[in-house]
Amino acid sequence: MNNFMRFFNKNQKNIFLATAVVIFVILIIVILNQYYIAQEENNQKIAQDKQLTTENGYSNQENVTLDNIETESVKKLNNNTIENTMKKFVSYCNSGDYVQAYNMLTDDCKEALKYNDAKTFKEYYIDLRFPEKQEYSLSKWAVEGDNAVYLVTFNGDLLATGGEKYSNEEYYTFVKKDNEYKINVNNYIYCENKNTRYVFDDIDVKIGKINRYSKYEEMTIEIKNNSQKTIAVTTNDAGNRVYLTNTKGAIYSSINSVLDEQDLILNAGETKEITVKFNKLYSVANKADKLIFPKIILDYEDYLSTHNRTAYSNTTTITVQYN
């Protein structure tokens, strides 16, 4: 101990300088990574703006007033164009016909947003978004396969608000199937069903659904421990948490996840399913393609009995290439 104190006192300045340099380098890496992510999202938005097209006779931006919605003929429109589908949906919402509006949602949207029935949808969406009749405008934002994503700007009835203008924005996705459109609302983009299993020695990882929202992704993951030991897939340590990445090295961390609150422990032969939220903005051009478990502890009981857990080495890293 005395030797250590003499060494520390003798080299105090160098130790503090080295520590400061390490902290500075870490901060630079974090700042550059955040800058890169912001640049990628901006470049993707520019690319999308360039590729926007008009389809089904519907322009990239359209303003629709109450005069165009509040007619009985609107509710008789076919759902064969985005224009007709949106008019019909808003007409139902404005008139309080929440059952018909609910029937225009995709099954994925109902499940992901927990709109289990029409009354739930009315309480948690229509009553909040349509407290009075709404006009709207649509701006096309992205197209991916049969999914067309639009930014919807709702404008409240000026007479109902005493002439005071206000607006709310959210993303809608129009999903085409059998030449008809259904809708994902409330910033829910779409669901991708992977249902693919990946085997790594004594650990199996299955990626189920990926629900994409405008500002984050939710991934359902099933993990099976085929070993004879208790393992920890993640620990409650910022450096050990699961994350997504892409070919350019951007990192998308887990947020508001059970993995951020406690260790994920699997006994020998045990299988667990978890849903993890990642801070990944929706982007057609900039998709994550890897799921990373940076530090899986292969003998959790041994790990718990170790004095210096940060130096524990009986670990492995798993990279799941899913795209």
Side-chain angles (χ1 to χ4, degrees), residues 211 213 215-221 242 244 252-260 274-280:
N211 279 310
Y213 299 78
K215 293 186 178 180
Y216 62 91
E217 290 186 3
E218 282 185 341
M219 182 181 291
T220 301
I221 307 167
V242 63
L244 302 179
Y252 308 103
S253 305
S254 62
I255 53 174
N256 299 329
S257 164
V258 65
L259 303 182
D260 301 333
I274 55 174
T275 299
V276 185
K277 183 186 292 187
F278 297 96
N279 68 338
K280 172 71 178 71

Side-chain angles (χ1 to χ4, degrees), residues 3 8 15 19 29 35 49 58 77 102 107 111 128 139 155 186 191 218 225-226 233 247 278 288 292:
N3 290 336
F8 180 79
I15 291 172
T19 303
I29 292 173
Y35 172 78
D49 288 343
Y58 197 70
L77 292 172
Y102 180 74
D107 291 338
E111 181 179 349
L128 300 177
S139 299
N155 298 295
N186 206 7
C191 175
E218 282 185 341
N225 176 15
N226 294 317
V233 176
T247 54
F278 297 96
I292 311 292

Side-chain angles (χ1 to χ4, degrees), residues 182-216:
K182 287 209 167 187
I183 305 175
N184 295 334
V185 300
N186 206 7
N187 300 308
Y188 175 66
I189 306 300
Y190 71 92
C191 175
E192 181 181 3
N193 288 298
K194 300 296 288 188
N195 290 323
T196 306
R197 186 175 299 276
Y198 307 85
V199 180
F200 304 89
D201 294 329
D202 290 329
I203 300 171
D204 292 1
V205 178
K206 178 183 177 183
I207 296 179
K209 292 182 177 181
I210 304 175
N211 279 310
R212 293 190 168 92
Y213 299 78
S214 62
K215 293 186 178 180
Y216 62 91

Side-chain angles (χ1 to χ4, degrees), residues 49 54 62 109 125 144 188 212:
D49 288 343
T54 58
E62 186 82 6
C109 179
Y125 184 77
E144 186 176 1
Y188 175 66
R212 293 190 168 92

Side-chain angles (χ1 to χ4, degrees), residues 232-242 259-265 295-297 300 303:
V233 176
T234 63
T235 58
N236 189 19
D237 181 340
N240 293 346
R241 293 174 185 167
V242 63
L259 303 182
D260 301 333
E261 301 168 0
Q262 61 190 28
D263 299 354
L264 178 61
I265 312 303
K295 189 176 180 181
I296 296 178
I297 295 168
Y300 190 62
Y303 167 78

Side-chain angles (χ1 to χ4, degrees), residues 156-178:
D157 183 355
L158 298 185
L159 294 177
T161 58
E164 183 179 348
K165 184 176 179 60
Y166 75 96
S167 64
N168 290 298
E169 292 184 341
E170 67 177 89
Y171 290 97
Y172 274 30
T173 301
F174 296 86
V175 182
K176 192 174 186 179
K177 185 177 180 181
D178 299 328

